[in-house]
Amino acid sequence: MSNGSLDNDIEHVLLSTDQINARLDEIAADISRDYADKDVLVVGVLKGAVMVVADLTRRLTIPVSMDWMAVSSYGSGTKSSGVVRILKDLDADLHGRHVLVVEDIIDSGLTLSWLVANLRSRGPESVEIATMLRKPDAAKVEVDVRYVGFDIPNEFVVGYGLDYAEQYRNLPYVGTLKPEVYGG
Ligand code: XMP
Ligand code: MG
């Protein structure tokens, strides 16, 4: 796999750090306006959303609480099945809270639609979704997403929280991997 520089494994950059930062500024302004005077709980979905949560919440001008959830999608290989197991649940009680789920990427939408239904069953005042990336061509279920960073082509991407075999999460941009990295 990677030897030496992280950048060596990248085929092309899809979204630069500057593009990501500019879009985060816009989304944060929208969220700060929409949730003014509301009691917001930001729910980050581990592990991919760590970068988005960190960078997005630091741009908000409203106070928020943060909590984290880790889920794993049952299924063969890398395909999401929509059958989800909670690996780490929230600490927070959702009753009466305005929940903003923050995701790195929505692919088929199966994991997220399960997650939103699960969170809605816990008595929150509202549940909305913010995602940095979305692959519209991969959608298998319709998920109502309030804030989208970028719609991207249906290809595998890494960086800015997204991994291949737990690597590349720390790339400060989003890119595609050279085919040889997949062990071809
Ligand atoms: P769904 O249920 O929407 O699953 O199909 C979304 C999850 O799939 C992973 N995923 C990716 N991870 N690069 C990645 O590193 C990608 O291009 C990609 N597409 C989907 C990711 O874990 C996401 O939460
Ligand atoms: Mg994820």
Side-chain angles (χ1 to χ4, degrees), residues 40-57:
V40 186
L41 176 69
V42 170
V43 170
V45 183
L46 297 169
K47 307 170 190 172
V50 166
M51 307 294 174
V52 194
V53 171
D55 289 346
L56 184 64
T57 56

Side-chain angles (χ1 to χ4, degrees), residues 45-49 103-105 162:
V45 183
L46 297 169
K47 307 170 190 172
E103 264 286 16
D104 48 358
I105 189 164
L162 291 160

Side-chain angles (χ1 to χ4, degrees), residues 106-108 134-140 151-155:
I106 303 175
D107 191 340
S108 70
R134 182 174 62 180
K135 294 179 179 172
D137 297 340
K140 287 204 182 114
D151 280 324
I152 62 167
N154 191 9
E155 54 185 341

Side-chain angles (χ1 to χ4, degrees), residues 4 9-10 13 15-16 33 44 54 58 62-63 71 73 83 91 95-96 108 121 123 129 133 139-140 149 157 171 175:
D9 293 345
I10 300 305
V13 177
L15 299 165
S16 70
R33 187 197 57 234
R58 278 181 291 182
I62 55 168
V71 295
S73 197
V83 183
D91 296 325
H95 275 101
S108 70
S121 74
I129 301 161
L133 305 175
K140 287 204 182 114
V157 293
L171 269 186

Side-chain angles (χ1 to χ4, degrees), residues 106-167:
I106 303 175
D107 191 340
S108 70
L110 290 167
T111 308
L112 194 56
S113 76
W114 181 92
L115 184 61
V116 166
N118 179 284
L119 297 178
R120 288 220 163 101
S121 74
R122 304 184 193 192
E125 189 70 24
S126 68
V127 179
E128 299 288 352
I129 301 161
T131 186
M132 195 63 205
L133 305 175
R134 182 174 62 180
K135 294 179 179 172
D137 297 340
K140 287 204 182 114
V141 285
E142 198 60 41
V143 189
D144 194 11
V145 184
R146 181 99 175 252
Y147 309 97
V148 179
F150 301 93
D151 280 324
I152 62 167
N154 191 9
E155 54 185 341
F156 193 78
V157 293
V158 297
Y160 201 66
L162 291 160
D163 73 305
Y164 173 66
E166 294 299 329
Q167 298 272 303

